[in-house]
Amino acid sequence: MKVTKDMGILDAVKAYPDSVNVFQAYGMHCFGCMAARFESIEQGAIAHGIDTDALIRSINDALDAVDLTKK
């Protein structure tokens, strides 16, 4: 698992830019938001009423799919 719920939102986006599309698909457009600078993915998901486990699963599935296309 590349991304965990304890990671900071911006840390995850910086490490895995391909995660942005998944965050946006879940309604998290908070990359410019001040809270994104200190909130974990779990905290942001809860604030937006998003199932954290589903979000993390979707992000990691998307990252795995990108990795497969690079091989």
Side-chain angles (χ1 to χ4, degrees), residues 1-9 12-13 18-31 39-64:
M1 184 174 289
K2 295 173 172 73
V3 175
T4 66
K5 64 184 179 181
D6 298 323
M7 289 179 78
I9 294 169
V13 169
D18 292 314
S19 67
V20 170
N21 292 333
V22 180
F23 279 112
Q24 291 177 334
Y26 274 79
M28 290 181 69
H29 306 275
C30 50
F31 310 110
E39 276 188 340
S40 69
I41 295 172
E42 181 175 42
Q43 291 168 324
I46 290 169
H48 288 278
I50 296 167
D51 179 332
T52 306
D53 293 330
L55 173 62
I56 296 298
R57 198 169 31 255
S58 294
I59 291 170
N60 283 308
D61 287 349
L63 295 176
D64 288 343

